[in-house]
Amino acid sequence: MNDHPILTEHPWLIVTFTIAIVIMLLIDLGLFSKHSHEVSNKEAVTWSIVWISLSMLFSGLVYYYAGAAKFYEFQSAYWIEKALSVDNLFVFILVFKFFDVANKNKHKVLFYGIIGALVLRAIFIFSGAFLIELTYLNKILSYFGVAGFKYDINIIMTLFGLFLVYAGIKSWSAGDEDDDEDYNNTRGARLIRKFFNVSDKYDGDKFFTFENGKKLATPLLVVVAVIEFTDLLFAVDSIPAIFAISNDPFILYTSNIFAILGLRALFFLLDNFIHLFSKLTYGLAFILSFIGIKMIISPFYHIESIYSLLVIGGILLLSVLLSIMFPEPKE
């Protein structure tokens, strides 16, 4: 029912995206992850600027090849994922604190977390796009020989919308529930302990070590698993949210990946200045509810991507300004 012209008419965008991501990952892995080190604020700022600039440059190529509508879709999906991922980073900070991970080892854990996210997001986005194509109500009714409705409602999108409204309301009142979480009992930690014997001590940045002649997993491997499962849970919110912006899997995946790849640098800034983003959670809750409502009403009233982008950008800016004006005490 919906075609995806970028995948068929603009192969150079696909080639450019693939080359850019591979080169940046190789540079990161080869130059900056070769030896575990503590990331300074200067390095974090530099890499944040690099990733955001690269994302904006690619969105310019989307505008040139595919037009303004796709450009607005990319920008909206990018900033939604970026914003929701910041909420994810808050939890990452708590995970590292819980497991007492050395600052110099956080970079390596986040790198492997991002590699896992590249694969999981591809599965979620492309399978989601496929399922959405199959669940338009009029298409289902026509299959059974029944005349369709005036409004073409999509079952999956409607369910996603209801879920996001619920998630937004729940997020608004969640408070500091994550602060008391026992991350040793999360699914990721239990999975590692099911298959490996885990040492009580770290061995630098190694995932495995030897003790008394026995090969053991280190707590750092447990941390990676917890981070991966945490990202998987957050994808349940973020992936449905971006489907409210576009049905083009290329736009959704590229914007998602560009947003995720800049998160490691953003994490180290956030880790030092978390008290300046205290109101962001409320802004994200509002964004989730707004996107959910947009998905529910989309068969009856379509909100253009440029207006969605303005709303999302305005809420994020207001949240950050209020956080700076009324900061919480730094712990």
Side-chain angles (χ1 to χ4, degrees):
M1 182 172 293
N2 298 296
D3 58 343
H4 309 302
I6 288 184
L7 290 174
T8 55
E9 296 179 11
H10 304 292
W12 280 110
L13 278 177
I14 301 174
V15 174
T16 302
F17 168 75
T18 304
I19 293 175
I21 297 303
V22 170
I23 290 177
M24 293 303 291
L25 284 176
L26 289 176
I27 291 175
D28 196 357
L29 182 62
L31 298 182
F32 298 95
S33 296
K34 196 169 185 178
H35 301 289
S36 294
H37 66 288
E38 185 173 346
V39 177
S40 66
N41 284 338
K42 180 180 179 181
E43 183 180 339
V45 169
T46 300
W47 273 98
S48 293
I49 293 173
V50 167
W51 279 116
I52 293 175
S53 299
L54 189 62
S55 304
M56 296 303 100
L57 179 62
F58 185 80
S59 72
L61 293 177
V62 171
Y63 180 88
Y64 179 79
Y65 283 106
K70 294 293 182 182
F71 169 80
Y72 293 133
E73 289 177 4
F74 180 95
Q75 288 284 340
S76 298
Y78 173 83
W79 291 111
I80 286 175
E81 179 61 34
K82 199 75 165 178
L84 294 177
S85 295
V86 168
D87 203 23
N88 201 359
L89 293 182
F90 288 154
V91 179
F92 288 0
I93 291 172
L94 295 176
V95 171
F96 287 134
K97 181 180 178 181
F98 181 88
F99 288 101
D100 195 22
V101 178
N103 286 333
K104 65 179 182 179
N105 292 334
K106 293 176 181 177
H107 188 272
K108 182 175 181 178
V109 173
L110 291 170
F111 180 84
Y112 282 96
I114 286 174
I115 294 299
L118 292 176
V119 177
L120 290 175
R121 300 307 170 96
I123 295 172
F124 286 165
I125 289 173
F126 286 94
S127 61
F130 176 74
L131 287 174
I132 288 172
E133 286 293 316
L134 297 178
T135 54
Y136 281 93
L137 188 57
N138 283 348
K139 180 180 287 188
I140 296 173
L141 291 175
S142 64
Y143 179 80
F144 292 100
V146 180
F149 297 115
K150 177 182 178 182
Y151 301 104
D152 196 4
I153 299 171
N154 186 280
I155 297 173
I156 294 292
M157 293 286 280
T158 302
L159 292 176
F160 278 171
L162 292 171
F163 171 75
L164 289 177
V165 172
Y166 166 76
I169 295 172
K170 184 179 179 182
S171 178
W172 183 278
S173 58
D176 299 321
E177 292 178 0
D178 290 325
D179 291 350
D180 301 321
E181 180 81 28
D182 182 2
Y183 293 102
N184 255 325
N185 287 325
T186 57
R187 292 183 179 180
R190 293 202 303 267
L191 182 66
I192 294 299
R193 296 183 189 280
K194 180 178 180 180
F195 290 100
F196 303 101
N197 292 320
V198 180
S199 172
D200 295 327
K201 298 179 293 185
Y202 288 95
D203 186 5
D205 64 350
K206 297 177 182 178
F207 293 135
F208 293 94
T209 188
F210 285 92
E211 292 183 6
N212 300 321
K214 293 182 179 180
K215 187 176 182 180
L216 303 175
T218 68
L220 200 64
L221 184 64
V222 177
V223 176
V224 171
V226 173
I227 292 294
E228 291 286 5
F229 270 82
T230 301
D231 181 70
L232 180 63
L233 293 176
F234 271 85
V236 174
D237 284 345
S238 64
I239 298 301
I242 60 175
F243 275 111
I245 302 300
S246 175
N247 64 350
D248 190 326
F250 178 80
I251 288 291
L252 299 181
Y253 185 66
T254 53
S255 60
N256 213 265
I257 296 310
F258 273 116
I260 289 173
L261 287 172
L263 287 183
R264 251 182 329 146
L266 185 60
F267 167 84
F268 292 101
L269 288 178
L270 194 64
D271 197 12
N272 291 330
F273 301 103
I274 189 172
H275 60 292
L276 296 179
F277 295 90
S278 57
K279 307 299 185 293
L280 189 59
T281 299
Y282 301 107
L284 297 178
F286 191 90
I287 289 173
L288 283 175
S289 297
F290 166 74
I291 295 170
I293 292 171
K294 178 182 176 180
M295 297 177 86
I296 295 170
I297 68 173
S298 60
F300 317 102
Y301 181 78
H302 176 64
I303 301 176
E304 296 291 340
S305 294
I306 185 172
Y307 299 122
S308 298
L309 179 60
L310 291 173
V311 170
I312 293 163
I315 294 171
L316 289 176
L317 180 61
L318 180 61
S319 300
V320 173
L321 288 177
L322 289 175
S323 298
I324 295 174
M325 292 170 61
F326 307 100
E328 292 186 354
K330 183 176 181 181
E331 295 184 2

